[in-house]
Amino acid sequence: MAADWEVVGKQKKSRKQTGGDKKTQSQNGSESAPKIEDMVDMDEICSLYSDVKDDLLAKFNGLKDANGSKADPKKTLAPVNGKRTATPVRDQMQQQGGGGSNKQNPNREPESSAVPAKSTYRNMEAALRAISAPDLHSQLTAVNVSFKDNHLMLLKALTGILNDKLRVDETAADPLYSNKPTNYPYKTMPTALRTVIDECIGKANEENVKYFYDLTLSNLASDMNKGLPYLGHKVILQAIAMHFPSACVNNLARNAILRNSYQNRHNIGLSLLWALGQGGYNDLDVGLKVWQDIMVPVMELKNYNRYTCDYVVRILRLHRSHRLTLGGSEFLTILSSLTTQPKACRELDEAAQLLVERYVFSAPKASATFAMLFKNISFITRPEMIYYGLALCLLEDPESASVWLGLYRHNVETSLAILSYLNTSSQKNCSKLLGEDHFTRFLADVEKLNEDLLQSKKKPEGLNSVTSILK
């Protein structure tokens, strides 16, 4: 029995060999199978898929544009039995087009979404006359109710309304309003309109108005740079300067930086100078400070020279009887700017003379002014205007001669220059001084002092020249 049974078992070796044979066969099969690279060039395959993709995207975008909304390309391109079926997008297009017809209704009027253009006026006067003062007052009243007496919001609303209403042809726009009165356009606007503006400014306190002035000045430059309406800013700035001239010098350092930012855009730069200079027509001290800090730094530039020279002489002519409150250092700084320009300018020479007259005649005591001017002659490059100021002091206050006599011994050369100027000057005030009794007595005292100095061991320089002038 045992011999009849045969043990049948799996041989691991043969299994491994079988498995190995299968793996080998699989590898051989894959190697023998045709590859895509062998059949078609890869560049052709990429081109094929690219064309298919572009075709699908083109069809999808066409349906999207026709429907005005995003469409699903799988739904819009659904072939059935080799034919394209009607999709919801196509059905909608056919319904809108009248059953697939592309004809449009000739009687249908095209929809217009254009905003009506604002009226543009030939000049500023016409634009101001077109503003209804009652309507403006009603609008401001509504703003006042909404913001519960917030005066800054009221000023902001007023400026915005004026900007919107005042649209003038740019070809006629002049940033300086040349050949116009100094108070243009404020004084030329209709009285009712000016009253509304004055009331709006008057309701706000001075601190708020000064803050709003600086804010509006920045907005003026910004809106001009962006090409937005800006004439309302200029009207408000001028109106504020009429009521509160000191607003123009409230923040000179900041406004000087603003001027620097736009000085290469001369239409903006001149508008800033025009706005800041408005206070000078009501207050000479304000005008001179603006001129010194804002205008002098750009006076040598071609686009600014004419206006800056005209401005300073204009405000000095306008305030011939104004009492200056400038300090001595401020006066000397401004006088130096007037007399040290590289190019001779008749307007600046006239302005320097007017400035000296205003300063001397505004001084509470001319003899004290004489002493200050005498000690600062070297501060001015062209000292003729200082000499003129000294002559005015001598004419105004006889005590000035006594002050000079006390300074004479140690300032013989300076005294020589002053006496030479008085002898040769064509100024009426100088000629008048030479005939005054107190000045004649002063000259006699100087002669006696010269005799004493001639007897001294160390003779001052220029003493002989002074003696010859007195003779």
Side-chain angles (χ1 to χ4, degrees):
M1 289 292 292
D4 295 336
W5 291 94
E6 181 179 357
V7 178
V8 179
K10 295 181 180 180
Q11 298 181 3
K12 294 182 179 180
K13 184 176 181 181
S14 61
R15 181 184 297 175
K16 290 181 179 179
Q17 290 177 352
T18 304
D21 294 340
K22 289 182 179 179
K23 185 176 181 180
T24 303
Q25 291 176 2
S26 175
Q27 290 178 354
N28 293 335
S30 62
E31 289 177 358
S32 61
K35 297 181 180 180
I36 295 177
E37 290 87 341
D38 297 335
M39 296 176 64
V40 185
D41 189 10
M42 285 301 295
D43 292 338
E44 295 180 6
I45 295 173
C46 293
S47 176
L48 174 63
Y49 281 104
S50 177
D51 293 341
V52 173
K53 177 182 177 182
D54 292 343
D55 184 48
L56 289 173
L57 287 175
K59 292 177 180 179
F60 172 66
N61 290 332
L63 291 173
K64 178 181 176 181
D65 294 339
N67 192 33
S69 60
K70 189 173 182 180
D72 188 352
K74 294 181 180 180
K75 294 181 180 180
T76 55
L77 298 173
V80 177
N81 297 328
K83 297 182 180 180
R84 294 186 183 274
T85 60
T87 62
V89 175
R90 291 177 62 190
D91 292 342
Q92 185 177 359
M93 291 174 60
Q94 290 177 359
Q95 291 175 3
Q96 292 177 355
S101 175
N102 293 328
K103 295 181 180 180
Q104 296 181 354
N105 186 0
N107 297 326
R108 183 179 180 182
E109 296 182 359
E111 296 181 0
S112 176
S113 59
V115 179
K118 298 288 184 179
S119 300
T120 301
Y121 298 92
R122 183 171 53 88
N123 52 40
M124 190 69 155
E125 294 91 331
L128 289 169
R129 287 195 299 268
I131 298 176
S132 172
D135 290 347
L136 178 61
H137 186 270
S138 300
Q139 289 176 285
L140 294 177
T141 301
V143 172
N144 195 34
V145 171
S146 300
F147 291 95
K148 298 179 180 179
D149 295 330
N150 187 326
H151 300 300
L152 285 176
M153 291 302 299
L154 201 64
L155 288 170
K156 183 178 179 181
L158 173 61
T159 306
I161 295 170
L162 292 177
N163 274 336
D164 187 59
K165 299 290 185 182
L166 298 176
R167 297 173 183 263
V168 178
D169 184 9
E170 285 296 326
T171 58
D174 177 8
L176 301 175
Y177 304 116
S178 304
N179 303 319
K180 299 288 186 181
T182 56
N183 54 17
Y184 179 90
Y186 178 75
K187 289 294 184 181
T188 58
M189 69 175 65
T191 305
L193 176 60
R194 187 166 64 248
T195 301
V196 173
I197 296 174
D198 290 345
E199 288 179 354
C200 187
I201 295 174
K203 289 178 181 178
N205 60 51
E206 185 174 357
E207 184 178 354
N208 283 337
V209 171
K210 288 181 177 180
Y211 169 78
F212 189 76
Y213 181 91
D214 291 331
L215 180 64
T216 304
L217 195 69
S218 298
N219 290 338
L220 169 65
S222 178
D223 286 354
M224 290 186 72
N225 188 46
K226 295 175 182 177
L228 300 175
Y230 61 88
L231 293 177
H233 293 309
K234 299 187 78 170
V235 170
I236 293 299
L237 288 168
Q238 187 182 39
I240 291 175
M242 293 286 183
H243 290 80
F244 303 101
S246 59
C248 300
V249 293
N250 186 52
N251 208 338
L252 284 176
R254 174 185 174 277
N255 293 332
I257 295 173
L258 182 65
R259 177 215 60 208
N260 289 340
S261 301
Y262 292 98
Q263 70 181 28
N264 291 332
R265 299 281 303 278
H266 67 272
N267 62 324
I268 301 178
L270 288 172
S271 293
L272 293 175
L273 264 59
W274 176 88
L276 288 167
Q278 291 302 303
Y281 297 123
N282 289 320
D283 189 325
L284 180 58
D285 290 81
V286 168
L288 291 174
K289 290 177 182 178
V290 168
W291 184 80
Q292 176 62 39
D293 292 353
I294 301 296
M295 300 188 186
V296 168
V298 296
M299 187 161 58
E300 295 183 19
L301 300 180
K302 179 181 178 181
N303 292 317
Y304 298 92
N305 180 263
R306 182 76 271 154
Y307 177 71
T308 53
C309 292
D310 289 344
Y311 174 80
V312 67
V313 72
R314 188 184 300 125
I315 60 174
L316 284 164
R317 287 174 182 171
L318 190 63
H319 299 287
R320 290 182 180 272
S321 59
H322 179 85
R323 188 178 184 86
L324 277 179
T325 59
L326 293 175
S329 60
E330 290 177 308
F331 163 76
L332 291 172
T333 301
I334 296 172
L335 182 61
S336 177
S337 298
L338 289 169
T339 56
T340 56
Q341 294 304 313
K343 294 183 180 180
C345 179
R346 182 178 58 83
E347 288 83 0
L348 294 183
D349 291 340
E350 181 184 353
Q353 180 178 332
L354 291 171
L355 175 65
V356 170
E357 292 174 356
R358 285 292 87 234
Y359 184 74
V360 171
F361 295 147
S362 299
K365 195 172 183 180
S367 58
T369 302
F370 181 93
M372 187 275 292
L373 294 176
F374 192 94
K375 294 176 182 178
N376 287 281
I377 290 176
S378 60
F379 184 82
I380 305 298
T381 306
R382 291 166 51 196
E384 290 81 5
M385 283 301 156
I386 294 288
Y387 299 157
Y388 178 64
L390 293 171
L392 293 178
C393 291
L394 290 166
L395 188 62
E396 187 75 8
D397 185 0
E399 289 186 15
S400 299
S402 301
V403 174
W404 188 3
L405 194 62
L407 297 169
Y408 180 83
R409 182 182 293 272
H410 300 289
N411 298 278
V412 174
E413 284 191 273
T414 302
S415 298
L416 172 62
I418 298 171
L419 290 171
S420 299
Y421 171 80
L422 294 176
N423 281 335
T424 59
S425 177
S426 59
Q427 293 285 350
K428 293 181 179 180
N429 289 322
C430 294
S431 302
K432 184 179 179 181
L433 174 64
L434 295 176
E436 292 291 325
D437 292 338
H438 71 275
F439 188 72
T440 303
R441 291 193 297 270
F442 164 75
L443 293 178
D445 293 337
V446 170
E447 286 184 1
K448 293 179 181 179
L449 187 57
N450 286 341
E451 292 176 0
D452 295 338
L453 292 174
L454 286 172
Q455 300 299 324
S456 63
K457 294 181 180 180
K458 188 177 180 180
K459 299 178 182 179
E461 295 183 6
L463 183 60
N464 294 329
S465 299
V466 172
T467 304
S468 62
I469 289 176
L470 294 176
K471 292 180 179 179

